Amino acid sequence: MTVSYTLKVANASFGCFFKLLFRWKGSIYKLLYKEFIVFCCLYAMLSVTYRCFLNEKQKSDFAQLARYCNQYTELIPVSFVLGFYVTLIVNRWWAQYTNIPLPDQLMCVVSSNVHGGDERGRLLRRTMMRYANLSSVLILRSVSTRVLKRFPTMEHIVEAGFMTREELKKYECLFSDYNKYWIPCVWFTNLAAQARRDGRVRDDVALKLLMDELNKYRAKCSMLFHYDWISVPLVYTQVVTIAVYSFFGVCIIGRQFLEPELGEEKPNMDLYVPIFTLLQFFFYSGWLKVAQQIINPFGEDDDDFETNRLIDRNLQVSLLSVDDMYQNLPPLEKDKYWDDQTAAPPYTLATAAETLKPSFMGSAFDMRFLGDSDQSQQVAVTPNMPRARTPMLSRFLSSAPSPAISLKNFMGRGARGHHLVRFRGDGYPSPNPNSRNSDLEYDSVGRIDEEETGDEQESRASEPPTPKVTLRVPHRLEASDQQKKREQPKPPPLVIIVDEPSDESLNTDPAEC
C-alpha cells in the first residue's frame, strides 16, 4: 500500500519533517537495515583482526594497503553515476503512473453520446465500459504481480464479472502469439459502429469522439506494456550497482583507523566507530535502494502502485456514470447569487483572515513614479524619424546584390588587394525594389566598377594588360517619361547682375547711351 504523508507536511511547521524520520513503513530504515548491519559487521571484524591478531610486520603491510585504498577511493564516480541513474528511474516511475488507463473521460463521452433510456441503450453503455475495464485488467494482469495473484486465470476474470462465458470462448478462439489485451478494445469499436447504425449514436461526430477517447485509453494500455517490456538498460543498472558496492567494499579497508607511523607528528584520532563512513554508506546505499524499489512500481513493495484498488474504483465509477447517472439530472434552479452582481461565498472563522488581504493585481500594479512628475507625461513619437547610418552600411542595407559580376574577381585576381565596389555614378538608384529609389531606371545600375588602391596599380603595371570585361544587366523595365524628365540634369538658374550706377554714368547724356 502506498505510504502517504501529505497531510503531515501540509504546513511547514517546526519539526514537521523531523517527525517523519520515526516512521517505519516505507522508510529507508526498512529498506537498508540488512545491508547496513552487514557493512558494520565486516568493518568491525577487520578492525578487530588488525588490532588484536596481526603482528607488527603484518600491521605495517595492512596499513600500506589501507592507505592505498583510501587514496584511490575517490576515483570511483559514485555520486555522478548514481545521480543520473536515480533521476532516470524517478522520471520513468512517474511516467508509468500517468499511463495507467483511467476510464473517466471515456465514460463521460459514452454517457453523453450513446442514447437510449430503454434496456437496449443501457446494455450498450454498460457493455462498452465493461470492455474498456476488461482491457485494463488484462494489461495490468500482465505487468503487476498483485493483479496476477488476484486473477491467476481467465476463469477468475469471468467470475469477477469482467467477462462472460461467451466472450471468453470468443477470446480463446482468437489465436495470437502476443498479448491479447487489445481484443476488448476492438469489441468496443464494433459495438460503437453498431450503435451508430441503430441510431443510438446520432451523428458521425459523436462516433469519432468515441473512437478518439477509446484510442487514448488503448494507447495508455500499450504504453504500460512497453514500459514493462523495455526496461532500463541492464548495463546501466550493473554499472551503478558495481560502483556503489565496490566503493564501500574498498572503504571497509581504506577507512580503518591505523596506528601512527614512526615520525608522524599529527596522528589521526582513533575512533572505533567510523561515523562519517557510516553516514556515507547510509546516503549512497539508500539512494541506490530508492532506485531499486521504484524501478518496477507494479510489485508488492510499500510504495508500489495499488493496482487492485484502481481496478475496483474504475469499474464502479464507470458503470455508475453510464447507468444510474444517464439522464438523471437534478432540477434546474436559480443559484443563490442570481440577483447579485458579484458572488461572495461566506468564510468560516478559521479562514476569515484571508478576506483582509487585497487580491493580487500584478507585480507592477502598485508601482509609483517618485520625484519628477514629468515622467508620467505622454509625448508624441514620429514613426519616420531619420536614423543615423554610416555611408558604407547604408549602401549595403539599401541595395541588393547586383547580378553584374566582374570576371577578374571570379578568376581570383582580386585577392591581392582590397577593392571598393561601388555603383558607377554617385546618386544612381539601388536595384533593390524595396528601397526608396526603386522607381528609377534599373539599367542605370547595370555596371560595376572596381576602384583599386595605388599599391595594386603599381603592381599591375608590370603585368600584361588584361582586357576589361563588363557584364551588362539586361534592360528590365522601360523608363517612363516622368522618370526620364526626373533624370535629366536641370539647367542652372539664370542670374542677372546689375551694377550700381556711378556719378559719371549719371552725367552721361541719354542720347549717347
Side-chain angles (χ1 to χ4, degrees), residues 428-474:
Y428 280 101
S430 170
N432 186 6
N434 296 325
S435 62
R436 55 187 178 180
N437 296 328
S438 60
D439 56 343
L440 300 181
E441 182 181 359
Y442 281 85
D443 190 59
S444 60
V445 293
R447 293 185 296 174
I448 299 177
D449 292 338
E450 297 182 353
E451 297 180 355
E452 300 177 349
T453 59
D455 297 338
E456 186 177 0
Q457 292 178 359
E458 294 177 0
S459 62
R460 294 283 180 87
S462 60
E463 298 179 0
T466 302
K468 183 177 180 180
V469 181
T470 304
L471 300 179
R472 288 183 176 271
V473 179

Side-chain angles (χ1 to χ4, degrees), residues 103-358:
D104 297 65
Q105 295 182 358
L106 182 60
M107 68 187 186
C108 293
V109 175
V110 170
S111 179
S112 60
N113 291 281
V114 182
H115 302 280
D118 55 348
E119 185 177 357
R120 175 65 178 174
R122 180 187 178 191
L123 182 61
L124 282 173
R125 291 189 298 270
R126 290 180 66 91
T127 305
M128 284 181 176
M129 295 312 304
R130 185 167 56 81
Y131 286 162
N133 284 277
L134 175 60
S135 180
S136 64
V137 169
L138 293 177
I139 191 61
L140 290 175
R141 182 174 172 267
S142 302
V143 302
S144 176
T145 57
R146 291 183 179 183
V147 180
L148 184 60
K149 288 182 177 180
R150 183 180 178 183
F151 307 108
T153 62
M154 295 299 295
E155 292 292 335
H156 290 80
I157 296 179
V158 174
E159 293 176 1
F162 291 95
M163 182 184 289
T164 62
R165 294 290 177 182
E166 295 297 328
E167 292 169 353
L168 179 59
K169 293 179 181 179
K170 289 285 186 181
Y171 182 85
E172 292 177 348
C173 290
L174 298 172
F175 175 76
S176 177
D177 294 331
Y178 305 100
N179 197 319
K180 298 189 291 184
Y181 68 91
W182 46 269
I183 290 180
C185 294
V186 179
W187 291 346
F188 184 101
T189 58
N190 293 331
L191 198 59
Q194 182 180 354
R196 175 69 182 98
R197 291 191 297 268
D198 296 341
R200 303 285 179 172
V201 179
R202 296 178 180 175
D203 51 26
D204 294 337
V205 177
L207 180 62
K208 183 179 182 302
L209 185 59
L210 281 171
M211 296 297 103
D212 292 342
E213 291 299 330
L214 179 67
N215 287 331
K216 294 178 183 178
Y217 189 85
R218 188 211 55 81
K220 290 188 175 183
C221 296
S222 178
M223 286 302 299
L224 284 186
F225 178 76
H226 288 288
Y227 270 117
D228 184 69
W229 182 18
I230 308 298
S231 304
V232 177
L234 180 61
V235 292
Y236 199 1
T237 303
Q238 290 176 341
V239 166
V240 174
T241 306
I242 293 174
V244 173
Y245 286 114
S246 62
F247 175 80
F248 289 106
V250 175
C251 285
I252 292 177
I253 302 175
R255 301 294 175 86
Q256 293 287 340
F257 292 100
L258 306 174
E259 294 180 358
E261 295 181 347
L262 295 177
E264 188 176 358
E265 297 180 356
K266 296 181 179 180
N268 295 327
M269 184 181 297
D270 190 1
L271 297 177
Y272 292 95
V273 179
I275 299 177
F276 290 99
T277 301
L278 295 180
L279 288 176
Q280 196 173 22
F281 177 84
F282 188 81
F283 297 148
Y284 283 164
S285 298
W287 210 0
L288 179 62
K289 278 294 181 180
V290 170
Q292 291 176 355
Q293 185 183 24
I294 66 177
I295 191 172
N296 182 13
F298 295 100
E300 298 180 66
D301 295 328
D302 290 339
D303 277 318
D304 286 343
F305 301 149
E306 300 180 29
T307 49
N308 286 324
R309 299 291 297 273
L310 283 173
I311 291 174
D312 299 339
R313 181 260 175 194
N314 292 343
L315 181 63
Q316 182 181 1
V317 300
S318 59
L319 296 180
L320 181 65
S321 63
V322 300
D323 190 6
D324 295 341
M325 295 184 62
Y326 176 73
Q327 299 297 329
N328 186 10
L329 299 175
L332 295 178
E333 297 180 359
K334 294 182 179 179
D335 58 84
K336 183 178 179 180
Y337 310 101
W338 181 266
D339 296 327
D340 296 339
Q341 293 182 355
T342 57
Y347 284 78
T348 59
L349 293 178
T351 59
E354 298 180 7
T355 60
L356 302 178
K357 300 178 182 179

Side-chain angles (χ1 to χ4, degrees), residues 397-444:
L397 291 177
S398 62
S399 59
S402 175
I405 303 174
S406 175
L407 294 181
K408 179 171 57 178
N409 286 340
F410 182 76
M411 295 179 181
R413 296 285 302 276
R416 300 179 181 178
H418 299 282
H419 303 283
L420 298 177
V421 182
R422 64 177 178 84
F423 294 109
R424 171 169 291 183
D426 293 334
Y428 280 101
S430 170
N432 186 6
N434 296 325
S435 62
R436 55 187 178 180
N437 296 328
S438 60
D439 56 343
L440 300 181
E441 182 181 359
Y442 281 85
D443 190 59
S444 60

Side-chain angles (χ1 to χ4, degrees), residues 66-75:
R67 291 187 180 92
Y68 176 80
C69 293
N70 190 32
Q71 180 181 1
Y72 292 100
T73 300
E74 301 300 330
L75 296 180

